[in-house]
Amino acid sequence: MSLPSHPEQLAALAQVHELFVRNGIDYWLFGGWAVDFHAGSITRSHEDIDVAVWLDDHDRIARLLGDEDWRHAPEPDEDGGSGYERSAVRLELTFLVRGEGGEVYTPLRTGCARWSDDALGSEVAELTGVRARVVGLAALKRGKSHTRDDSNEAAKDRANFATLSQLG
């Protein structure tokens, strides 16, 4: 399957942003698209759109996305989130929960993946006229400074980190 076009993904993200804002759903764009929103330009192709949301909102999000023709498309090995697809665009939701001490993490089968305290602010960035709530720049830089084991993912991490390193 070929990668969706940037305009397709950005149009989908604009619609998701409006849908979530209109319905009072907190979300944070992260991953490669967050890098591009912080950089103010499209730096590479993207396979999907990564969005962090509160796990407690998932049922409501599923209904809202379904009403907009998004189809639930879970991966067999998914952990800590779930995917939705519409046309050629894939939206990956990563779930967030709060611990007893107020810390935020993604619940995984093997434990908890902690989010830094500065990741989930209220910053909204704009790229080619599309607005999105984004994870904090410092947290994104830290996350992209560690490459993953998979060689394709590691190459994206290195490219993302290079882009982020040029930002203030």
Side-chain angles (χ1 to χ4, degrees):
M1 179 173 131
S2 64
L3 291 177
S5 69
H6 295 137
E8 266 183 302
Q9 289 177 320
L10 285 168
L13 183 54
Q15 186 260 336
V16 168
H17 170 76
E18 176 59 32
L19 182 68
F20 286 3
V21 168
R22 187 174 60 244
N23 288 281
I25 295 172
D26 287 333
Y27 83 94
W28 295 267
L29 181 65
F30 70 102
W33 274 114
V35 171
D36 287 358
F37 270 76
H38 277 290
S41 64
I42 299 171
T43 62
R44 64 174 180 80
S45 295
H46 302 281
E47 295 173 14
D48 56 20
I49 301 167
D50 297 305
V51 175
V53 297
W54 295 109
L55 179 58
D56 287 345
D57 289 333
H58 185 229
D59 289 343
R60 191 163 53 116
I61 290 169
R63 282 191 304 276
L64 291 167
L65 289 174
D67 290 346
E68 299 292 329
D69 297 323
W70 288 88
R71 176 182 62 82
H72 189 217
E75 295 286 345
D77 62 344
E78 69 185 15
D79 187 15
S82 196
Y84 290 81
E85 294 177 350
R86 186 175 71 189
S87 187
V89 178
R90 182 162 178 88
L91 177 67
E92 286 285 341
L93 301 181
T94 295
F95 300 134
L96 304 171
V97 296
R98 281 204 188 277
E100 291 181 19
E103 68 280 1
V104 175
Y105 62 89
T106 296
L108 302 172
R109 287 188 284 273
T110 59
C112 301
R114 177 94 194 272
W115 286 69
S116 64
D117 293 338
D118 60 347
L120 308 177
S122 59
E123 182 177 356
V124 175
E126 189 170 320
L127 177 63
T128 66
V130 175
R131 295 173 53 81
R133 193 170 185 185
V134 293
V135 296
L137 179 58
L140 189 59
K141 279 184 183 179
R142 280 193 308 277
K144 295 297 181 181
S145 69
H146 306 286
T147 58
R148 291 169 279 183
D149 294 334
D150 177 89
S151 61
N152 290 333
E153 298 299 319
K156 289 190 284 187
D157 290 338
R158 283 190 297 276
N160 286 333
F161 185 70
T163 297
L164 293 169
S165 294
Q166 297 173 17
L167 305 178

